[in-house]
Amino acid sequence: MSRFETSSVNIGEVARRAKVSRSTVSYALSGKRPVSESTRRRIQRVIEEMGYRPNASARALARGETRTLGLVFPPAGNHYTDMQLDFIGGVTEAAAGRDYDVLLSVADAGEERSFQRLIGERRVDGAILMEIRLHDARVERMRESAFPFVTIGRISDPDGTAWVDLDYRTLVRRCVQHLSDLGHRRLAFVNRSEALLRSGYESAHRGQDGFDLAVRELGLSGAAYPCEDDAMGGERCAARILADHPETTGIVTVNEASLGGLYRGITAAGRTIPRNMSVTGIAGARWADAVTPALTAADVPAREMGRIAIDLLLERIAGAPARDRLLVPPVVLRASTGTAPRLAP
């Protein structure tokens, strides 16, 4: 019998020739349950005679594994942002490098059937949760199930959970500090959408906290604006900022999807970046380099975060204690920030 035949046929033939059950062959291969030494030797002799080599999937199945990881995120609505897609790409690439497949799921904690399929039926060995809220029912559901999981982002009280996140509070404060060092005194903060803020979206709230704190500490004036995650939202937000506070000379943004529209709105209002309006924030490097002038920004290492999430999850699957990683990438100076202009009174 060829070793290239399916593992189910091979293992059955091994069992027939060794005069044992298929489960006994599986236990002998995996060590999951004890098998007598004489039986183990008989099985091994048959395996050597047949040239049988159980494939990785068969070995995983014998150990009760799926070699599959779940990636759970809310429904996209109109679209997924490039940053979200980069996270997904980082996770899938890192998983493939460790011989795991990835099952994408939009399971919501309130959808019993979705979670039952993912967790209750053990379709995956562990799960990564994206788009975390400060109070996230999905995380609580995972905690209750004692199922191995990791979050990209963190809830308000993440003790005992494994997670990887950006330090949005610190990064926004650094952006504000950078503009303050350049002499800017009136700033605006372009956040994520009103709907995400209401839902408790973690990065939006921590970014807002960082902006408010830095403005107070540095004695600046500032206002925060929710903004839809698209170019039209960015244009409308720029118009609101300059209508409300025309003395604004610096903008900090955590909404990369609106960035192109934000630039267009600034230009439509008669401002030039960075001559009389500086813009900085947190964004993927691809987005930061795609706009003109290129954005001074803390670059989001989305693919690295995906890799870290896979490493942390495999540790949890192996029974290791939960670990976490809080990343603080540097603010990369590009062409979108400059010395504060002297505005006409």
Side-chain angles (χ1 to χ4, degrees), residues 23 32 55 74 84 94 110-111 150 165 172 179 187 195 201 204 206 208 230 240 252:
S23 60
K32 191 174 181 180
N55 61 32
Q84 290 170 323
E111 297 175 2
V150 169
D165 199 5
V172 169
L179 292 177
L187 307 181
Y201 195 71
R206 289 196 166 101
Q208 178 77 65
D230 54 37
R240 289 199 308 273
V252 178

Side-chain angles (χ1 to χ4, degrees), residues 75-86:
N78 293 331
H79 65 281
Y80 291 112
T81 68
D82 272 26
M83 190 183 298
Q84 290 170 323
L85 294 175
D86 281 346

Side-chain angles (χ1 to χ4, degrees), residues 143-167:
R143 277 175 158 173
E144 292 169 1
S145 71
F147 191 77
F149 75 96
V150 169
T151 62
I152 296 180
R154 66 197 191 279
I155 58 174
S156 61
D157 180 15
D159 288 350
T161 64
W163 51 267
V164 55
D165 199 5
L166 286 183
D167 190 345

Side-chain angles (χ1 to χ4, degrees), residues 79-84 188-194 196 225-241 251-267 273 279-284 286-288 290-293 295:
H79 65 281
Y80 291 112
T81 68
D82 272 26
M83 190 183 298
Q84 290 170 323
F189 179 61
V190 177
N191 207 335
R192 303 296 297 277
S193 70
E194 185 67 46
L196 288 178
Y225 292 81
C227 180
E228 295 299 318
D229 292 344
D230 54 37
M232 287 297 295
E235 288 191 51
R236 290 191 294 266
C237 191
R240 289 199 308 273
I241 290 169
I251 293 176
V252 178
T253 180
V254 293
N255 191 329
E256 68 170 22
S258 72
L259 191 56
L262 185 67
Y263 269 44
R264 286 198 297 271
I266 291 168
T267 300
I273 303 171
V279 185
T280 183
I282 302 172
R286 185 170 62 219
W287 279 86
V291 292
T292 303
L295 181 71

